[in-house]
Amino acid sequence: AQKITQTQPGMFVQEKEAVTLDCTYDTSDQSYGLFWYKQPSSGEMIFLIYQGSYDEQNATEGRYSLNFQKARKSANLVISASQLGDSAMYFCAMGFGNEKLTFGTGTRLTIIP
Amino acid sequence: DAGVIQSPRHEVTEMGQEVTLRCKPISGHNSLFWYRQTMMRGLELLIYFNNNVPIDDSGMPEDRFSAKMPNASFSTLKIQPSEPRDSAVYFCASSQFLLDRGPDTQYFGPGTRLTVL
């Protein structure tokens, strides 16, 4: 069975600092993808970044990067130079082919001015 | 490009009433997913379609829930009769699946917030 674990229910970070959101996963499959989504207070789910299990380089998208450590089964999201607009829930998810995504419980990030 | 469109955005109904949620996926996407989000259970898949065919409906709670995808640009999720415990945010998501690629990014609609009184 696949499982995503996010151990940080909430985090407070000073504006302009970098923040790392933790995500570990469990699967016996060799081919999978890891995703991060942002859910602001308005409720929509916004795709941030994707990492394939066979990708050798860590994914980056603007201020977002994914620290992928396959042997440790971790896929942490790093947000550089945090902004007030980064305050939201962040979900890590894992997917296979075109099947469903399995989500973690999320981390509520609050950026402090 | 238009994203995933869901309607209505908010629905308040009374127990026992029929509720129909609608979704228009991103044009060209061939997979469509219905998720439900609650505080207690988080995000959970209800059903997903590939090329308009239901592939996995194991997450549908019970016979009161049904979903259809009559064509590539429209899907409905129906609850009949509705109950207070169905109150949640229902998301529709779509992706483009190609056999020679890995998992595809699912793009979510804005969700429908359902309240059953």
Side-chain angles (χ1 to χ4, degrees):
Chain A
Q2 291 80 28
K3 187 177 181 181
I4 292 281
T5 302
Q6 295 181 255
T7 57
Q8 306 153 310
M11 289 187 67
F12 291 85
V13 174
Q14 204 74 35
E15 188 180 7
K16 298 182 183 178
E17 290 186 351
V19 56
T20 298
L21 305 182
D22 295 340
C23 173
T24 58
Y25 61 93
D26 188 22
T27 181
S28 56
D29 287 347
Q30 297 301 310
S31 178
Y32 52 88
L34 296 157
F35 303 81
W36 278 92
Y37 288 85
K38 172 184 179 181
Q39 188 174 40
S41 58
S42 52
E44 68 266 36
M45 293 286 287
I46 303 168
F47 165 70
L48 294 178
I49 195 167
Y50 163 79
Q51 178 85 41
S53 59
Y54 291 115
D55 295 341
E56 295 186 350
Q57 294 205 344
N58 288 342
T60 60
E61 290 286 349
R63 294 187 299 112
Y64 304 109
S65 60
L66 201 152
N67 184 3
F68 181 47
Q69 298 187 42
K70 194 170 182 177
R72 299 179 63 181
K73 294 188 175 180
S74 74
N76 298 339
L77 176 70
V78 180
I79 306 174
S80 63
S82 58
Q83 303 171 356
L84 295 178
D86 294 333
S87 294
M89 281 289 287
Y90 289 81
F91 291 95
C92 180
M94 179 166 58
F96 306 84
N98 72 331
E99 298 178 3
K100 69 175 184 179
L101 292 177
T102 299
F103 286 87
T105 52
T107 296
R108 182 171 297 281
L109 175 65
T110 302
I111 306 300
I112 304 168
Chain B
D1 290 339
V4 176
I5 299 172
Q6 290 187 249
S7 64
R9 294 292 306 276
H10 302 272
E11 177 81 25
V12 180
T13 189
E14 293 188 345
M15 182 174 62
Q17 296 298 307
E18 176 182 301
V19 175
T20 299
L21 311 182
R22 297 172 176 80
C23 174
K24 176 179 171 57
I26 293 173
S27 177
H29 282 189
N30 59 359
S31 293
L32 183 140
F33 305 80
W34 282 101
Y35 291 90
R36 180 171 67 175
Q37 185 179 33
T38 61
M39 289 294 293
M40 292 297 294
R41 300 174 66 90
L43 275 154
E44 53 183 349
L45 179 80
L46 298 177
I47 185 171
Y48 79 92
F49 297 83
N50 189 37
N51 292 323
N52 311 336
V53 176
I55 303 299
D56 182 358
D57 65 354
S58 59
M60 297 286 262
E62 48 199 88
D63 292 344
R64 297 185 298 107
F65 285 69
S66 62
K68 294 182 180 180
M69 192 164 186
N71 57 62
S73 59
F74 184 66
S75 177
T76 59
L77 178 68
K78 185 178 293 186
I79 308 172
Q80 180 185 21
S82 58
E83 297 182 1
R85 60 188 166 130
D86 301 331
S87 297
V89 179
Y90 291 81
F91 287 103
C92 175
S94 72
S95 68
Q96 183 180 39
F97 175 65
L98 299 173
L99 280 174
D100 59 347
R101 287 193 345 207
D104 291 276
T105 298
Q106 295 181 21
Y107 294 92
F108 283 70
T112 296
R113 183 173 296 276
L114 173 65
T115 302
V116 183
L117 304 175

